[in-house]
Amino acid sequence: MAAAGWYHRDISQVVVEELLAKAGRDGSFLVRDSESVKGAYALCLLFQRHVYTYRILPDDEGLLSVQTIQGIQTKCFRTLPELIGAYQHPNNGLVTPLLHPVHRPRPAEDSDGEDARGWGHSVPCPGAPPSSRTHIPQQLHQRLQEQVHSSPASDFMGFMAEYLTHHVQDLQGLCHGHPQLRHLSTALATACRALHSEIDFTLAGLETLAKVFDPPLSPRSPAREQGFLSSDPDLELLLSKISTVNHLLSSLEKKVLKSLQETVTRHNLALPSMAMAPQPPARPLAMQNFEVKVGKSQRAALTVDVESGTVTVTKRGSGSLEEVIPHDKILQLIKYQSVQSKVRLVCARENQKSLSRDFIFPNARKREAFCQLLQLMKIQHSNLDEPEIISVYVGTWNMGSTPPPRSLASWLTSRGLGRTQDETTACIPHDIYVIGTQENSLGDHEWVEFLCASLKTLMAIDYRVVALQCLWSIKIVVLVKPEHQRRISHVHTSSVKTGIANTLGNKGAVGVSFLFNGTSFGFVNCHLASGSEKTHRRNQNYSDILHSLALGDKCLGGFDLTLRFTHLFWLGDLNYRLDMDVQDILTHIVKKEFQALLAVDQLNLEREKNKVFLRFSEGDISFPPTYRYERGTRDTYVWQKSKPTGMRINVPSWCDRVLWKSHPETHVVCNSYGCTDDIVTSDHSPVFATFEVGVTSQFVPKEAPGSSPEALACIEWESIEVILKTTSRSKCYIEFHSYCLEEMQRSGENTFQSCDIPGFLKLGWSSKHLPVLNPILPDLEYLGDQHLLLSIKGVESCESYGECCLALRSAIGSTAQQFETFLFHRGEETGSVRGWMRVRVPRGRCGTRERLYEWISFEEEDAEPAAEPPMCPKPPPQRLRSRPRSLPEPATGYTNPAYFIFEGVPNAWLPAPGESSKKQVEGPAGGQPCRSPAGPRVPLPSEEEPWCGRPRCGPPSPSRGHPLSPSRAGHHKRPKSAILTRDTVGLGDCSLYVAPHLSQLDQVSPQGRGDRQEVPLRQTQQPARM
């Protein structure tokens, strides 16, 4: 057996089931690393078309055993191959013996000699014997030979070539439990022999200098003494010397500074005042004028004075002052969606009646600038202790291994091509700047100082460094305004290598996460594999980054990275290309026909297939491809590149992107997305995006704890139903995580289970098996900002099948609300979840207020409301966000077939294999179209069950079992947790009536108000397992 082909390392459950499904035989098995217990394994076994998962756990002595139920004696084994061999015999407690090992698929090498998972060698299994016919040395020698021509260290390469010939000896030792790699140590020590004398010389000089300033604290180091006594060039000794040099260099400056300070104190020397000079005040914003049209023909001028907090309206022609509107009289700002340049200003009058006035700007950019200035005016004059809305700048640039130009003004002020900032708002400083670079040849501190100096020149503000994380030439820098520094906490940084064998940092990602008061942020800057043909490799890079990047709260480490933060921004050189002939691409660029190119953009196509960036958002792309330009100009694309293997074609592409994903019912708006046109040092153009983000503060209750009898809020569940895309039959439980809970809560096992549909598992929980959750604070204002993270875990394996995020805001009230959303795990969509929940708030804690970011709303002009049955309450108007034009309309709207299993969709509605599914059908409400599902046909369940016995109301569907889907389910905008208004909120109820506009969802009858129905759910038998 060659290095245990059945051991697959850290692949996901989805990949496991795909491999076992391809094997197709009972008794097919493989082993992967456990996701829930470090150092443990998961044994996955196929039997009767279902996958069974068993945990293999190590004990304190390192012995391995299959986890069993209490009272069953365990069998222990020294190595994994021994354990697998023992369970290949019958009557061992598994559902079937281990009969057919499923081997790892062999990755195909790409044109650069890199494969999808490494260097082409097999993964050594713990305790597995080595292969006597390995071909690894030949491959490694060939790779080394390719490097010799470009490396000046030919002597060192000779030592390494010698090691590669005999490295199998280390492989044998590793498989026998000796991970010391003695032969590698010997080869390195021999190669580094000349380094000893150099280090000894440097170390002696540093120690002498250190003794001058601090004699008692700098004795001769043990490593140094040992170096003089021993001539054996031991590698451990060399590392010890290097560590000593590193310590001396880092501490020498402190020693010298301390010595000089003691000298000053001892001799009573006078020093000039070290008091920091006061920060120069921020540049006041000049008054801005906007030419607008009022009514059909009347011209007027709007003057915005942010400093004084007023808006002045002056009619053109007369030149007389018409009206001065103070900021506290402006009640609301409404943007029209049908006319992108139109806005309505709602103002208060002395007679208690509001006055609405419509203004039409020359273009949408001017309107956005006006709205931003009014938003800034509201913020400055709000007298709030903590901000409720901040501006975030995100920039990414592949610098092409060349120094930057002297000025980055256009990049840092979002000026250039695409959706850019208007000149009236371009120099308004952002609260947070996040700068990601790739192929950055500058030193880390040199780059940070250059950025800070550039921002100070532009904004007259000394920005503070929150974090700097680097991986080779991939860097990310986070800067904040000085006044926000105290609001930043829990800063974490991490990096992941995805280069050759996932060990080289020329490709990979760096990340930063932190809390801004009560809002969590995550930022990831990546550089993925290059080459038009390496789409799969880039997808794999994304998956590896998602799985390995250690950011955010450690308690949420088991959750998908995209769910750990209130707002996650992903930027970088993603390297996805355009699948079109280069001449056709150039023709479309000249004509500015970007939509035709976006339709063949690999990133958009992969997102449509749900391969990467599930439920992420991206701004509309209205700028030309940012790669590959001729350096020194932005007029010419250089798409041919000469390589030793021949001429390589690099078609112009949007390699450099910014995407984001946020929790449901949070506020984030992309105000600009474009690239510069005057920074020409690299073959990539810098890309920028700016965002308006709502943030929460650390909530302080108005009533002190203990001042009155403590009233508790509670989160109650009536039922939860889950569809998992899995062939497992495992019983499951749900974990509930939230910052508003003292600790994680857990449900009981599911009370209903069905696997009638091949490839899907349907689970249900009644209210008796779901915990009542008590938030730490009962105030409505606090709970309206909170979210719950749910994780569906298998009882036997304790591993997650999928996670999701729910907002509490729309569930607050006296009656239950329905939620529905997707499940994710390791970046893949794994199912769906829906149910009924209510958040009860004590009557004395129902105070709330409008947030600053709720002050601006959207409205369709002359939009007629859709006809609805009188029995169903009409949800309040909700802001609708259009799908980015940069993402082509998908051929199908529904990407998750689990939704059709929820409702039991007739086969006639589903496309046959290979059949186009572009035909639209009428939706269940509001007459909005919905699309047929993609993928294989899902058969009709044998018996359609009502949703927890609840009657439905609404227009009759054209066919039994109409599909139910979240709002805009087929789009790659992040779906909100879909809340159905089940009841009209009474005037006396303690409720926050905020429900998304979901015209595609069924409306539920208000009958049975406030009831709690429990419907017995069927339970299927489970096969006996250990």
Side-chain angles (χ1 to χ4, degrees), residues 632-657:
T633 180
R634 295 295 92 154
D635 298 328
T636 307
Y637 288 96
V638 180
W639 46 270
Q640 288 183 320
K641 184 177 181 180
S642 178
K643 300 194 72 175
T645 55
M647 190 64 68
R648 184 178 183 84
I649 303 298
N650 289 309
V651 300
S653 302
W654 285 286
C655 294
D656 312 283
R657 312 286 274 267

PDB file of all heavy atoms in Angstrom, residues 632-657:
ATOM      1  N   GLY A 632       3.587  52.283 -18.199  1.00  0.00           N
ATOM      2  CA  GLY A 632       3.857  53.629 -18.656  1.00  0.00           C
ATOM      3  C   GLY A 632       2.710  54.274 -19.397  1.00  0.00           C
ATOM      4  O   GLY A 632       2.767  55.455 -19.726  1.00  0.00           O
ATOM      5  N   THR A 633       1.656  53.511 -19.665  1.00  0.00           N
ATOM      6  CA  THR A 633       0.498  54.075 -20.367  1.00  0.00           C
ATOM      7  C   THR A 633      -0.733  53.295 -19.984  1.00  0.00           C
ATOM      8  O   THR A 633      -0.646  52.168 -19.486  1.00  0.00           O
ATOM      9  CB  THR A 633       0.687  54.003 -21.894  1.00  0.00           C
ATOM     10  OG1 THR A 633      -0.471  54.561 -22.519  1.00  0.00           O
ATOM     11  CG2 THR A 633       0.868  52.569 -22.355  1.00  0.00           C
ATOM     12  N   ARG A 634      -1.898  53.882 -20.200  1.00  0.00           N
ATOM     13  CA  ARG A 634      -3.175  53.173 -20.033  1.00  0.00           C
ATOM     14  C   ARG A 634      -3.928  53.116 -21.359  1.00  0.00           C
ATOM     15  O   ARG A 634      -5.121  52.872 -21.391  1.00  0.00           O
ATOM     16  CB  ARG A 634      -4.059  53.867 -19.001  1.00  0.00           C
ATOM     17  CG  ARG A 634      -3.555  53.886 -17.594  1.00  0.00           C
ATOM     18  CD  ARG A 634      -3.456  52.492 -16.935  1.00  0.00           C
ATOM     19  NE  ARG A 634      -2.140  51.919 -17.122  1.00  0.00           N
ATOM     20  CZ  ARG A 634      -1.582  51.015 -16.309  1.00  0.00           C
ATOM     21  NH1 ARG A 634      -2.226  50.591 -15.245  1.00  0.00           N
ATOM     22  NH2 ARG A 634      -0.392  50.536 -16.562  1.00  0.00           N
ATOM     23  N   ASP A 635      -3.197  53.301 -22.451  1.00  0.00           N
ATOM     24  CA  ASP A 635      -3.823  53.298 -23.769  1.00  0.00           C
ATOM     25  C   ASP A 635      -3.699  51.961 -24.478  1.00  0.00           C
ATOM     26  O   ASP A 635      -4.392  51.717 -25.465  1.00  0.00           O
ATOM     27  CB  ASP A 635      -3.196  54.383 -24.660  1.00  0.00           C
ATOM     28  CG  ASP A 635      -3.402  55.772 -24.098  1.00  0.00           C
ATOM     29  OD1 ASP A 635      -4.434  55.989 -23.448  1.00  0.00           O
ATOM     30  OD2 ASP A 635      -2.515  56.630 -24.291  1.00  0.00           O
ATOM     31  N   THR A 636      -2.808  51.084 -23.999  1.00  0.00           N
ATOM     32  CA  THR A 636      -2.501  49.865 -24.733  1.00  0.00           C
ATOM     33  C   THR A 636      -2.475  48.671 -23.792  1.00  0.00           C
ATOM     34  O   THR A 636      -1.887  48.740 -22.704  1.00  0.00           O
ATOM     35  CB  THR A 636      -1.125  49.972 -25.428  1.00  0.00           C
ATOM     36  OG1 THR A 636      -1.099  51.167 -26.220  1.00  0.00           O
ATOM     37  CG2 THR A 636      -0.872  48.758 -26.305  1.00  0.00           C
ATOM     38  N   TYR A 637      -3.143  47.584 -24.210  1.00  0.00           N
ATOM     39  CA  TYR A 637      -3.048  46.308 -23.497  1.00  0.00           C
ATOM     40  C   TYR A 637      -1.959  45.459 -24.153  1.00  0.00           C
ATOM     41  O   TYR A 637      -1.904  45.337 -25.379  1.00  0.00           O
ATOM     42  CB  TYR A 637      -4.367  45.542 -23.556  1.00  0.00           C
ATOM     43  CG  TYR A 637      -5.464  46.135 -22.707  1.00  0.00           C
ATOM     44  CD1 TYR A 637      -6.410  46.991 -23.261  1.00  0.00           C
ATOM     45  CD2 TYR A 637      -5.565  45.837 -21.363  1.00  0.00           C
ATOM     46  CE1 TYR A 637      -7.427  47.528 -22.492  1.00  0.00           C
ATOM     47  CE2 TYR A 637      -6.580  46.362 -20.585  1.00  0.00           C
ATOM     48  CZ  TYR A 637      -7.511  47.213 -21.143  1.00  0.00           C
ATOM     49  OH  TYR A 637      -8.512  47.743 -20.376  1.00  0.00           O
ATOM     50  N   VAL A 638      -1.088  44.886 -23.344  1.00  0.00           N
ATOM     51  CA  VAL A 638      -0.053  43.972 -23.843  1.00  0.00           C
ATOM     52  C   VAL A 638      -0.489  42.559 -23.474  1.00  0.00           C
ATOM     53  O   VAL A 638      -0.368  42.152 -22.325  1.00  0.00           O
ATOM     54  CB  VAL A 638       1.327  44.294 -23.233  1.00  0.00           C
ATOM     55  CG1 VAL A 638       2.380  43.346 -23.771  1.00  0.00           C
ATOM     56  CG2 VAL A 638       1.708  45.738 -23.524  1.00  0.00           C
ATOM     57  N   TRP A 639      -1.013  41.824 -24.410  1.00  0.00           N
ATOM     58  CA  TRP A 639      -1.624  40.539 -24.088  1.00  0.00           C
ATOM     59  C   TRP A 639      -0.754  39.344 -24.471  1.00  0.00           C
ATOM     60  O   TRP A 639      -1.157  38.203 -24.265  1.00  0.00           O
ATOM     61  CB  TRP A 639      -2.981  40.428 -24.788  1.00  0.00           C
ATOM     62  CG  TRP A 639      -2.990  40.837 -26.238  1.00  0.00           C
ATOM     63  CD1 TRP A 639      -3.220  42.080 -26.740  1.00  0.00           C
ATOM     64  CD2 TRP A 639      -2.751  39.997 -27.366  1.00  0.00           C
ATOM     65  NE1 TRP A 639      -3.145  42.087 -28.105  1.00  0.00           N
ATOM     66  CE2 TRP A 639      -2.868  40.810 -28.519  1.00  0.00           C
ATOM     67  CE3 TRP A 639      -2.455  38.639 -27.524  1.00  0.00           C
ATOM     68  CZ2 TRP A 639      -2.692  40.309 -29.806  1.00  0.00           C
ATOM     69  CZ3 TRP A 639      -2.289  38.134 -28.796  1.00  0.00           C
ATOM     70  CH2 TRP A 639      -2.405  38.959 -29.925  1.00  0.00           C
ATOM     71  N   GLN A 640       0.434  39.599 -25.002  1.00  0.00           N
ATOM     72  CA  GLN A 640       1.365  38.504 -25.313  1.00  0.00           C
ATOM     73  C   GLN A 640       2.553  38.573 -24.360  1.00  0.00           C
ATOM     74  O   GLN A 640       3.082  39.651 -24.088  1.00  0.00           O
ATOM     75  CB  GLN A 640       1.851  38.600 -26.755  1.00  0.00           C
ATOM     76  CG  GLN A 640       0.792  38.228 -27.787  1.00  0.00           C
ATOM     77  CD  GLN A 640       1.346  38.263 -29.199  1.00  0.00           C
ATOM     78  OE1 GLN A 640       2.120  39.151 -29.534  1.00  0.00           O
ATOM     79  NE2 GLN A 640       0.957  37.310 -30.020  1.00  0.00           N
ATOM     80  N   LYS A 641       2.949  37.426 -23.854  1.00  0.00           N
ATOM     81  CA  LYS A 641       4.066  37.354 -22.924  1.00  0.00           C
ATOM     82  C   LYS A 641       4.944  36.169 -23.307  1.00  0.00           C
ATOM     83  O   LYS A 641       4.483  35.029 -23.386  1.00  0.00           O
ATOM     84  CB  LYS A 641       3.558  37.190 -21.485  1.00  0.00           C
ATOM     85  CG  LYS A 641       4.661  37.205 -20.442  1.00  0.00           C
ATOM     86  CD  LYS A 641       4.075  37.106 -19.039  1.00  0.00           C
ATOM     87  CE  LYS A 641       5.164  37.156 -17.976  1.00  0.00           C
ATOM     88  NZ  LYS A 641       4.595  37.067 -16.602  1.00  0.00           N
ATOM     89  N   SER A 642       6.226  36.448 -23.537  1.00  0.00           N
ATOM     90  CA  SER A 642       7.164  35.401 -23.936  1.00  0.00           C
ATOM     91  C   SER A 642       7.669  34.656 -22.710  1.00  0.00           C
ATOM     92  O   SER A 642       8.118  35.267 -21.737  1.00  0.00           O
ATOM     93  CB  SER A 642       8.336  36.006 -24.706  1.00  0.00           C
ATOM     94  OG  SER A 642       9.262  35.012 -25.064  1.00  0.00           O
ATOM     95  N   LYS A 643       7.574  33.309 -22.753  1.00  0.00           N
ATOM     96  CA  LYS A 643       8.054  32.468 -21.656  1.00  0.00           C
ATOM     97  C   LYS A 643       8.927  31.369 -22.252  1.00  0.00           C
ATOM     98  O   LYS A 643       8.883  31.108 -23.461  1.00  0.00           O
ATOM     99  CB  LYS A 643       6.875  31.858 -20.893  1.00  0.00           C
ATOM    100  CG  LYS A 643       5.939  32.898 -20.277  1.00  0.00           C
ATOM    101  CD  LYS A 643       5.004  32.262 -19.264  1.00  0.00           C
ATOM    102  CE  LYS A 643       5.754  31.877 -18.011  1.00  0.00           C
ATOM    103  NZ  LYS A 643       4.864  31.365 -16.958  1.00  0.00           N
ATOM    104  N   PRO A 644       9.732  30.701 -21.415  1.00  0.00           N
ATOM    105  CA  PRO A 644      10.578  29.617 -21.942  1.00  0.00           C
ATOM    106  C   PRO A 644       9.786  28.531 -22.651  1.00  0.00           C
ATOM    107  O   PRO A 644      10.289  27.874 -23.563  1.00  0.00           O
ATOM    108  CB  PRO A 644      11.272  29.075 -20.691  1.00  0.00           C
ATOM    109  CG  PRO A 644      11.273  30.222 -19.727  1.00  0.00           C
ATOM    110  CD  PRO A 644      10.022  30.981 -19.999  1.00  0.00           C
ATOM    111  N   THR A 645       8.530  28.348 -22.236  1.00  0.00           N
ATOM    112  CA  THR A 645       7.703  27.311 -22.854  1.00  0.00           C
ATOM    113  C   THR A 645       7.005  27.791 -24.121  1.00  0.00           C
ATOM    114  O   THR A 645       6.300  27.023 -24.759  1.00  0.00           O
ATOM    115  CB  THR A 645       6.650  26.820 -21.851  1.00  0.00           C
ATOM    116  OG1 THR A 645       5.904  27.951 -21.377  1.00  0.00           O
ATOM    117  CG2 THR A 645       7.312  26.126 -20.671  1.00  0.00           C
ATOM    118  N   GLY A 646       7.176  29.074 -24.454  1.00  0.00           N
ATOM    119  CA  GLY A 646       6.537  29.604 -25.644  1.00  0.00           C
ATOM    120  C   GLY A 646       5.800  30.895 -25.361  1.00  0.00           C
ATOM    121  O   GLY A 646       5.910  31.482 -24.286  1.00  0.00           O
ATOM    122  N   MET A 647       5.043  31.351 -26.334  1.00  0.00           N
ATOM    123  CA  MET A 647       4.292  32.588 -26.187  1.00  0.00           C
ATOM    124  C   MET A 647       3.027  32.331 -25.372  1.00  0.00           C
ATOM    125  O   MET A 647       2.285  31.400 -25.646  1.00  0.00           O
ATOM    126  CB  MET A 647       3.928  33.156 -27.560  1.00  0.00           C
ATOM    127  CG  MET A 647       3.351  34.565 -27.500  1.00  0.00           C
ATOM    128  SD  MET A 647       4.539  35.783 -26.880  1.00  0.00           S
ATOM    129  CE  MET A 647       5.735  35.792 -28.240  1.00  0.00           C
ATOM    130  N   ARG A 648       2.808  33.162 -24.358  1.00  0.00           N
ATOM    131  CA  ARG A 648       1.638  33.021 -23.497  1.00  0.00           C
ATOM    132  C   ARG A 648       0.683  34.188 -23.754  1.00  0.00           C
ATOM    133  O   ARG A 648       1.105  35.329 -23.880  1.00  0.00           O
ATOM    134  CB  ARG A 648       2.057  32.995 -22.034  1.00  0.00           C
ATOM    135  CG  ARG A 648       0.905  32.746 -21.063  1.00  0.00           C
ATOM    136  CD  ARG A 648       1.421  32.679 -19.634  1.00  0.00           C
ATOM    137  NE  ARG A 648       0.360  32.368 -18.707  1.00  0.00           N
ATOM    138  CZ  ARG A 648      -0.067  31.149 -18.425  1.00  0.00           C
ATOM    139  NH1 ARG A 648       0.502  30.114 -19.028  1.00  0.00           N
ATOM    140  NH2 ARG A 648      -1.020  30.929 -17.550  1.00  0.00           N
ATOM    141  N   ILE A 649      -0.604  33.877 -23.797  1.00  0.00           N
ATOM    142  CA  ILE A 649      -1.626  34.885 -24.036  1.00  0.00           C
ATOM    143  C   ILE A 649      -2.264  35.266 -22.704  1.00  0.00           C
ATOM    144  O   ILE A 649      -2.798  34.412 -21.986  1.00  0.00           O
ATOM    145  CB  ILE A 649      -2.708  34.372 -25.019  1.00  0.00           C
ATOM    146  CG1 ILE A 649      -2.059  33.933 -26.335  1.00  0.00           C
ATOM    147  CG2 ILE A 649      -3.748  35.453 -25.257  1.00  0.00           C
ATOM    148  CD1 ILE A 649      -1.345  35.027 -27.063  1.00  0.00           C
ATOM    149  N   ASN A 650      -2.192  36.536 -22.359  1.00  0.00           N
ATOM    150  CA  ASN A 650      -2.871  37.064 -21.176  1.00  0.00           C
ATOM    151  C   ASN A 650      -3.908  38.070 -21.656  1.00  0.00           C
ATOM    152  O   ASN A 650      -3.597  39.236 -21.914  1.00  0.00           O
ATOM    153  CB  ASN A 650      -1.875  37.749 -20.229  1.00  0.00           C
ATOM    154  CG  ASN A 650      -0.964  36.759 -19.540  1.00  0.00           C
ATOM    155  OD1 ASN A 650      -1.420  35.787 -18.968  1.00  0.00           O
ATOM    156  ND2 ASN A 650       0.333  37.005 -19.612  1.00  0.00           N
ATOM    157  N   VAL A 651      -5.138  37.619 -21.786  1.00  0.00           N
ATOM    158  CA  VAL A 651      -6.182  38.493 -22.327  1.00  0.00           C
ATOM    159  C   VAL A 651      -6.515  39.579 -21.311  1.00  0.00           C
ATOM    160  O   VAL A 651      -6.412  39.375 -20.099  1.00  0.00           O
ATOM    161  CB  VAL A 651      -7.449  37.681 -22.676  1.00  0.00           C
ATOM    162  CG1 VAL A 651      -7.128  36.613 -23.706  1.00  0.00           C
ATOM    163  CG2 VAL A 651      -8.070  37.060 -21.431  1.00  0.00           C
ATOM    164  N   PRO A 652      -6.884  40.780 -21.770  1.00  0.00           N
ATOM    165  CA  PRO A 652      -7.328  41.818 -20.829  1.00  0.00           C
ATOM    166  C   PRO A 652      -8.475  41.296 -19.968  1.00  0.00           C
ATOM    167  O   PRO A 652      -9.416  40.676 -20.486  1.00  0.00           O
ATOM    168  CB  PRO A 652      -7.785  42.952 -21.756  1.00  0.00           C
ATOM    169  CG  PRO A 652      -7.022  42.734 -23.028  1.00  0.00           C
ATOM    170  CD  PRO A 652      -6.891  41.250 -23.167  1.00  0.00           C
ATOM    171  N   SER A 653      -8.401  41.528 -18.656  1.00  0.00           N
ATOM    172  CA  SER A 653      -9.384  40.958 -17.731  1.00  0.00           C
ATOM    173  C   SER A 653      -9.538  41.834 -16.503  1.00  0.00           C
ATOM    174  O   SER A 653      -8.659  42.639 -16.177  1.00  0.00           O
ATOM    175  CB  SER A 653      -8.963  39.539 -17.297  1.00  0.00           C
ATOM    176  OG  SER A 653      -8.809  38.674 -18.400  1.00  0.00           O
ATOM    177  N   TRP A 654     -10.667  41.635 -15.824  1.00  0.00           N
ATOM    178  CA  TRP A 654     -10.893  42.276 -14.521  1.00  0.00           C
ATOM    179  C   TRP A 654     -10.326  41.360 -13.432  1.00  0.00           C
ATOM    180  O   TRP A 654     -11.072  40.686 -12.717  1.00  0.00           O
ATOM    181  CB  TRP A 654     -12.382  42.521 -14.303  1.00  0.00           C
ATOM    182  CG  TRP A 654     -12.943  43.659 -15.083  1.00  0.00           C
ATOM    183  CD1 TRP A 654     -12.765  44.987 -14.850  1.00  0.00           C
ATOM    184  CD2 TRP A 654     -13.791  43.582 -16.233  1.00  0.00           C
ATOM    185  NE1 TRP A 654     -13.440  45.749 -15.771  1.00  0.00           N
ATOM    186  CE2 TRP A 654     -14.085  44.913 -16.641  1.00  0.00           C
ATOM    187  CE3 TRP A 654     -14.337  42.528 -16.968  1.00  0.00           C
ATOM    188  CZ2 TRP A 654     -14.895  45.198 -17.740  1.00  0.00           C
ATOM    189  CZ3 TRP A 654     -15.134  42.815 -18.051  1.00  0.00           C
ATOM    190  CH2 TRP A 654     -15.411  44.141 -18.435  1.00  0.00           C
ATOM    191  N   CYS A 655      -9.027  41.343 -13.320  1.00  0.00           N
ATOM    192  CA  CYS A 655      -8.387  40.494 -12.314  1.00  0.00           C
ATOM    193  C   CYS A 655      -8.564  41.054 -10.903  1.00  0.00           C
ATOM    194  O   CYS A 655      -8.626  40.295  -9.933  1.00  0.00           O
ATOM    195  CB  CYS A 655      -6.888  40.348 -12.609  1.00  0.00           C
ATOM    196  SG  CYS A 655      -6.523  39.442 -14.129  1.00  0.00           S
ATOM    197  N   ASP A 656      -8.604  42.365 -10.794  1.00  0.00           N
ATOM    198  CA  ASP A 656      -8.573  43.037  -9.495  1.00  0.00           C
ATOM    199  C   ASP A 656      -9.997  43.405  -9.075  1.00  0.00           C
ATOM    200  O   ASP A 656     -10.663  44.198  -9.750  1.00  0.00           O
ATOM    201  CB  ASP A 656      -7.700  44.287  -9.594  1.00  0.00           C
ATOM    202  CG  ASP A 656      -6.376  43.974 -10.277  1.00  0.00           C
ATOM    203  OD1 ASP A 656      -5.505  43.391  -9.634  1.00  0.00           O
ATOM    204  OD2 ASP A 656      -6.247  44.296 -11.486  1.00  0.00           O
ATOM    205  N   ARG A 657     -10.451  42.834  -7.949  1.00  0.00           N
ATOM    206  CA  ARG A 657     -11.864  42.959  -7.573  1.00  0.00           C
ATOM    207  C   ARG A 657     -12.017  43.259  -6.088  1.00  0.00           C
ATOM    208  O   ARG A 657     -11.130  42.998  -5.274  1.00  0.00           O
ATOM    209  CB  ARG A 657     -12.618  41.669  -7.902  1.00  0.00           C
ATOM    210  CG  ARG A 657     -12.380  41.109  -9.286  1.00  0.00           C
ATOM    211  CD  ARG A 657     -13.059  41.896 -10.373  1.00  0.00           C
ATOM    212  NE  ARG A 657     -14.428  41.472 -10.565  1.00  0.00           N
ATOM    213  CZ  ARG A 657     -14.812  40.555 -11.445  1.00  0.00           C
ATOM    214  NH1 ARG A 657     -13.909  39.965 -12.221  1.00  0.00           N
ATOM    215  NH2 ARG A 657     -16.089  40.245 -11.578  1.00  0.00           N
TER     216      ARG A 657
END
